[in-house]
Every structure is written in structure tokens, then in C-alpha cells.
């Protein structure tokens, strides 16, 4: 086990030990179940012996003991199951909450380099499966290990020759387990990667369904999905077949062991070396040995899966290079003057998209950025909003380096309307309250009237309680655009940035929105990216990139 693996288990232990009382109760029930598992075959042997001598008092005594053991076993299993359910829920919720919070802290650069399916599988599949295996399978595994050790000691005490017949095949099984572990380790990571590929194809297909239908691309989409699905399921089937083959090797080993045990046991009973009760105990122990070994075998591939999943979760939770970095200045931005000084930027290994840029945006003015596509207009507003890392002393807001502001101070001061016009799958009211929890419905309606969207919303059956469907399919592009603008204004930020704010509007609405921007410019810094000549002519300051 490497140092990194030790860190992984410490990371998992942190969540498990949050419920110490449940863990202790599970440990107690495990010990009781082990005692039952070790003692029960011996009691059963004595019961068989009492029947051979027709001792009714002994028969009744052992029947009552057997019933008591069974009732105790049911009770312990019930308590253990209750603990497992509670522990699984607690760990699953806490790990998902922590990882989701971490995802919100990751830099935009990190997301640009990865598929969204990768994060979905980590927060859902990896965490859920890890918790399920650890809590649901780890306890039976520990029980099996303790039982194997205890039974080995008891068997050696009862008859060392028969004990060796059972134990001698343990190294063979260990070797088989080693082969199985190696095979699973090599295949499990590849399977997870193919699962992400399949989920990525499915997610992309669902989000692009309208385009697929319009472009008659259904056959290509089918091919992409079927190909990904076939590759994934082929790898899973191959792995399962390998596990079955190794399981057959373990079965052959078990048959040989049982045959030798029965032969020697019969000879020892015939020669009165051991009693029938001891042989029954030995045989039951060997069966428990077999089932416990199978439990350990089945846990080995699961353990490999846990390690891989934990690494994927742990890499996100602990990697400090992929998070956004902000300063400690919590003072609110009061004016909103943005000063760009010698700003140079490029995406990853691409050439510079911005080079030594110098611009100053001021309040009380409608600032417009125009220029050809691909010249860095959207990149610039992403940098002002600090979605990407910004070099020191290149962007200043109110004469303070943008890197000195805390995340809250910066985010509260800037409101952005992107070209995507993203709206949440919730009510119109809730879409406003998610960006301003204190805003009331009256103020929302007032802002929507200014953005020329109130009449449409009021005409809906549920009005402002109307649920916006996924991908805003129940809204037109223009309606989404105006609603996004209204929501941005609801934040009362000192800086408003708009990317193509009039691109999907009719001429009358375009004129009204421009008039609104000219009005609000007196209370904030307004920056608009546009190709709209009407908006450019209305601007106070025009910057061409």
C-alpha cells in the first residue's frame, strides 16, 4: 500500500468516524455474530450427538440453545442493518455535499478541459458506490476474517490433522485472489473511463436533441451511442468472464479440500479418534470457511473499485491547483471604475488572444466593446468577472488590483448577462431569488416592466410562478434574453456586463432596451459587447478589439 493509498483511507475514515456511536454498535454486533458463528457449529454437533444416544433431556436442551442463538443472531443482524442504513445515508450525503461544494470552487479552466459527465459520475456513481461497498460489504468482510482466525484456532485445538486439511488450501486461494486482484485493477479504471464516455454521449445528445432533429443527425447519434455502449459493455463482460474463470479455480480447490476432509473425518470417527459431534463441527466449520472465503473473494474486486473511486474523488477534494484564487479584501466596490493595464491572456497552449490591452471603463457612461469574432471580447468580460486567472497588476477595479478582492466582494459587484441566457429549471420568481434572496415580488415586477417582459409573464397561467422548463424550452430566445437582463438588474450590482444584449430582439424592443441601458448607466458601470450598430451609435465610449 502506497502513501497515497493511506491518505485515501484516512480521507474515507474521516467521514465514517463522524458516526462513532453507530460504528461502535456495528463493531459490537460484529463480535457477537462472530461468537455465534464460531459456537453454533459446536452446539449443532452436540445436538446431533444427543440424537444418536436418544437423550431427550439433552435434545431439548440443545434445541433451546439453538433457538436462543438464532434469536440472538436475528437481533444482531437487525441492529447491524439499521446501523448500515443510517451510516450509508450520513456518509453519502456528507461526501456529496463536500464534493459539490468543492466543484463550485473549481476554476473555469478546470471545467474547460473536462467533460461534465466526469463530474456527474464522481459525485453520484463514485461516491454512492464507494459508500455502498465500504458500509455494506466491509462489515461482512471483517466478520469473515475474524471468523476464519477464530475457527482456525478452534480446529487446531480439536484435531490438528483435520485442521490442516482445511487450512492447507488457504495459500492456494490466496494465490487465486492475487491473480483476481491484478486483473480487476487493470480493468476497473478503463471501465470507469468508458462509463464517462457513454454518459458524455448521452448528455450531449439530450442537450442537443433539437439540433439533432433539425440536422437529421439521428443515425450518427445512434452510432456514437451504440459504439460507446458496445465498448463499455464488452469490457464489463470480459472482466466478469475473467472473474468467473478464476471463481471456477477456487471451486475446484474447495472440492478437493472437502473430499479429503470427509474421507479423513470418516476414518477418525470409525477409529474413535474423534466423536461424531466433532466431525459435524469440523464439517460446518469447513463450510463456513468456504463461504467466508467467497465473501473475501467478492470483496477484493469491490475494494479495487473503491480505491479507484476514492482516488477520483480525492484528486478533486485536495488539488489546490484547480481552484479559484481570491484575495482577502471584503470591502464592497463602491464606484465601479475598471482599469485594464497591459493585459495579455491566452487559453492553455493557444496563442495570445489579448495582448497588452489597455482600456478604462467608467460609470455614468454606456461602454461598448465591438470588433470581429475571435478577437477576445467575451474573453475580456470573463477576465473582468475573474472566471480565469488574471495576472497581478493588469485589471484594477476602483484602483484596487482585482486579485486583492475576496470572491464575495467581487461577485457581488459584477452582474453578467451571457449569450447563453441560462435560466434555472424553477419558477420565474425563484430565478430572481437565487441571485437576490431579499428581493420581493413587487420589485421583480417593476424590473420586468423595465425590461419589457412583464406583460408576457403576467399573461401566463401561473404568472411569475410559472416553471421554466429545462433549457428554457417554453421561452423564446428574445424572452430568455429580456428575462436574463431583468434578473441581472435584480442583483443591484455596481458593474453590469452584457454580451450581445440586443441580438435576438425586434427593432422596437431593441430601442426600448437601449433606452433602459442609457438610463441605468447613471447608477452603475455598463459594459456591452455588441455588433448592433444602433447600440454602438448610442454608446458614450466605444472600444474596438
Amino acid at each position: 500500500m502506497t502513501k497515497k493509498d493511506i491518505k485515501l483511507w484516512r480521507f474515507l475514515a474521516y467521514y465514517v468516524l463522524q458516526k462513532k456511536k453507530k460504528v461502535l454498535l456495528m463493531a459490537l454486533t460484529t463480535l457477537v455474530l462472530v461468537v455465534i458463528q464460531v459456537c453454533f457449529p459446536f452446539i449443532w454437533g452436540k445436538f446431533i450427538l444427543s440424537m444418536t444416544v436418544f437423550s431427550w433431556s439433552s435434545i431439548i436442551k440443545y434445541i433451546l440453545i439453538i433457538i436462543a442463538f438464532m434469536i440472538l443472531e436475528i437481533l444482531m443482524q437487525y441492529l447491524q442493518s439499521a446501523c448500515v442504513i443510517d451510516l450509508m445515508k450520513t456518509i453519502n450525503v456528507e461526501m456529496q455535499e463536500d464534493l459539490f461544494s468543492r466543484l463550485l470552487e473549481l476554476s473555469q479552466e478546470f471545467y474547460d478541459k473536462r467533460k461534465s459527465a466526469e463530474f456527474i459520475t464522481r459525485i453520484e456513481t463514485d461516491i454512492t458506490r464507494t459508500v455502498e461497498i465500504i458500509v455494506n460489504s466491509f462489515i461482512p468482510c471483517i466478520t469473515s476474517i475474524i471468523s476464519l482466525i477464530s475457527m482456525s484456532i478452534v480446529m487446531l485445538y480439536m484435531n490438528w490433522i483435520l485442521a490442516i486439511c482445511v487450512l492447507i488450501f488457504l495459500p492456494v486461494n490466496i494465490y487465486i485472489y492475487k491473480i483476481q486482484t491484478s486483473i480487476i485493477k487493470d480493468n476497473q479504471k478503463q471501465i470507469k473511463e468508458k462509463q464517462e464516455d457513454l454518459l458524455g454521449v448521452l448528455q450531449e445528445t439530450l442537450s442537443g436533441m433539437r439540433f439533432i432533429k433539425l440536422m437529421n443527425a439521428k443515425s450518427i447519434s445512434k452510432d456514437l451511442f451504440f459504439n460507446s455502449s458496445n465498448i463499455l459493455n464488452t469490457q464489463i463482460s470480459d472482466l466478469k468472464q475473467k472473474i468467473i474463470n478464476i471463481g471456477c479455480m477456487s471451486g475446484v480447490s474447495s472440492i478437493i479440500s472437502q473430499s479429503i476432509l470427509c474421507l479423513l473425518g470418516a476414518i477418525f470417527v470409525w477409529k474413535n479418534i474423534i466423536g461424531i459431534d466433532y466431525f459435524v463441527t469440523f464439517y460446518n466449520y469447513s463450510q463456513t470457511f468456504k463461504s467466508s472465503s467467497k465473501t473475501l473473494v467478492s470483496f477484493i474486486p469491490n475494494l479495487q473499485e473503491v480505491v479507484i473511486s476514492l482516488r477520483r474523488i480525492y484528486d478533486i477534494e485536495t488539488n489546490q491547483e484547480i481552484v479559484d484564487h481570491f484575495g482577502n479584501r471584503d470591502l464592497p466596490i463602491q464606484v465601479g471604475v475598471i482599469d485594464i493595464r497591459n493585459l495579455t491572456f491566452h487559453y492553455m497552449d493557444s496563442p495570445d488572444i489579448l495582448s497588452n490591452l489597455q482600456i478604462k471603463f467608467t460609470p455614468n457612461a454606456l461602454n461598448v466593446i465591438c470588433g470581429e469574432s475571435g478577437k477576445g471580447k467575451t474573453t475580456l468580460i470573463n477576465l473582468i468577472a475573474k472566471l480565469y486567472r488574471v495576472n497581478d497588476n493588469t485589471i484594477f477595479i476602483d484602483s484596487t488590483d482585482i486579485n486583492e478582492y475576496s470572491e464575495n466582494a467581487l461577485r457581488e459587484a459584477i452582474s453578467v448577462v451571457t449569450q447563453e441566457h441560462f435560466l434555472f429549471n424553477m419558477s420565474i420568481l425563484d430565478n430572481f431569488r437565487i441571485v437576490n434572496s431579499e428581493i420581493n415580488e413587487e420589485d421583480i415586477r417593476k424590473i420586468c416592466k423595465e425590461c419589457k417582459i412583464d406583460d408576457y409573464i403576467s399573461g401566463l397561467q401561473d404568472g411569475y410562478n410559472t416553471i421554466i422548463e429545462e433549457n428554457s424550452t417554453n421561452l423564446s430566445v428574445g424572452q430568455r434574453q429580456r428575462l436574463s437582463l431583468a434578473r441581472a438588474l435584480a442583483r443591484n450590482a455596481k458593474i453590469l456586463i452584457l454580451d450581445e444584449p440586443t441580438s435576438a430582439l425586434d427593432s422596437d424592443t431593441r430601442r426600448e432596451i437601449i433606452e433602459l441601458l442609457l438610463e441605468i448607466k447613471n447608477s452603475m458601470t455598463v459594459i456591452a459587447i455588441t455588433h448592433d450598430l444602433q447600440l454602438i451609435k448610442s454608446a458614450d465610449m466605444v472600444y474596438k478589439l
Side-chain angles (χ1 to χ4, degrees), residues 294-309:
K294 283 185 176 180
T295 300
L296 293 176
V297 171
S298 63
F299 184 70
I300 289 171
N302 290 338
L303 190 62
Q304 290 297 322
E305 185 179 350
V306 166
V307 171
I308 292 170
S309 295

Side-chain angles (χ1 to χ4, degrees), residues 8 27 55 58 76 165 190 194 196 208 245 351 372 392 395-396 416 422 427 450 457 490 510 521 532 536 541 545:
L8 292 178
S55 173
S58 295
M76 291 298 104
C165 289
Q190 295 177 9
K194 297 306 177 185
E196 288 177 358
N245 294 341
E372 298 176 6
D392 291 339
I395 299 179
F396 294 82
V416 181
F422 176 80
S427 73
E450 293 174 347
I457 297 173
R510 180 188 294 115
K521 73 178 184 180
D532 182 356
I536 293 172
M541 300 294 295
L545 297 185

Side-chain angles (χ1 to χ4, degrees), residues 46 49 59 78 119 175 226 259 282 298 311 359 382 393 402 413-414 460-461 463 491 521 540:
K46 291 297 183 182
L49 182 63
I59 290 173
Y78 175 80
F119 303 105
Y175 178 72
F226 292 168
S259 301
F282 257 98
S298 63
R311 283 174 181 164
I359 296 178
N382 286 337
N393 302 316
I402 194 173
I414 300 175
L460 297 172
Q461 183 177 354
R491 296 193 64 216
K521 73 178 184 180
D540 298 296

Side-chain angles (χ1 to χ4, degrees), residues 29 31-44 46 60-78 285:
T29 56
L31 288 175
V32 174
L33 288 171
V34 168
V35 171
I36 293 172
Q37 204 169 40
V38 172
C39 295
F40 197 79
F42 184 77
I43 301 299
W44 190 256
K46 291 297 183 182
I60 294 172
K61 180 180 74 172
Y62 286 115
I63 287 175
L64 293 175
I65 293 174
I66 288 171
I67 291 173
F69 267 71
M70 293 175 72
I71 292 173
L72 181 61
E73 184 178 29
I74 292 171
L75 177 61
M76 291 298 104
Q77 287 175 344
Y78 175 80
Y285 277 173

Side-chain angles (χ1 to χ4, degrees), residues 17 44 51 65 75 92 111-112 133-134 180 209 248 265 277 283 290 347 382 391 415 446 466 489 517-518 539:
L17 295 178
W44 190 256
M51 288 194 297
I65 293 174
L75 177 61
N92 205 56
Y111 285 107
D112 289 346
I133 292 172
I134 291 299
Q180 185 170 353
M209 188 62 72
C248 291
D277 56 333
Y283 186 79
K290 180 181 177 181
Y347 291 102
N382 286 337
N391 293 331
S415 193
K446 181 181 177 181
T466 300
L489 292 175
L517 295 179
L518 291 172

Side-chain angles (χ1 to χ4, degrees), residues 118-143:
E118 178 181 340
F119 303 105
I120 295 172
T121 55
R122 293 192 191 201
I123 201 169
E124 176 55 36
T125 309
D126 284 348
I127 289 179
T128 302
R129 186 62 180 147
T130 295
V131 173
E132 180 184 343
I133 292 172
I134 291 299
V135 180
N136 230 2
S137 303
F138 189 69
I139 296 302
C141 181
I142 294 297
T143 303

Side-chain angles (χ1 to χ4, degrees), residues 372-426:
E372 298 176 6
S373 298
K375 293 298 184 179
K377 299 184 297 297
T378 301
T379 298
L380 177 58
I381 65 172
N382 286 337
L383 293 173
I384 294 173
K386 207 178 174 186
L387 289 181
Y388 296 92
R389 291 189 184 184
V390 177
N391 293 331
D392 291 339
N393 302 316
T394 55
I395 299 179
F396 294 82
I397 299 180
D398 289 354
S399 301
T400 300
D401 189 335
I402 194 173
N403 290 321
E404 294 183 17
Y405 286 107
S406 67
E407 181 178 16
N408 185 65
L410 186 66
R411 297 285 188 244
E412 287 296 316
I414 300 175
S415 193
V416 181
V417 180
T418 66
Q419 291 189 58
E420 293 81 12
H421 311 302
F422 176 80
L423 296 168
F424 290 94
N425 181 206
M426 54 179 65

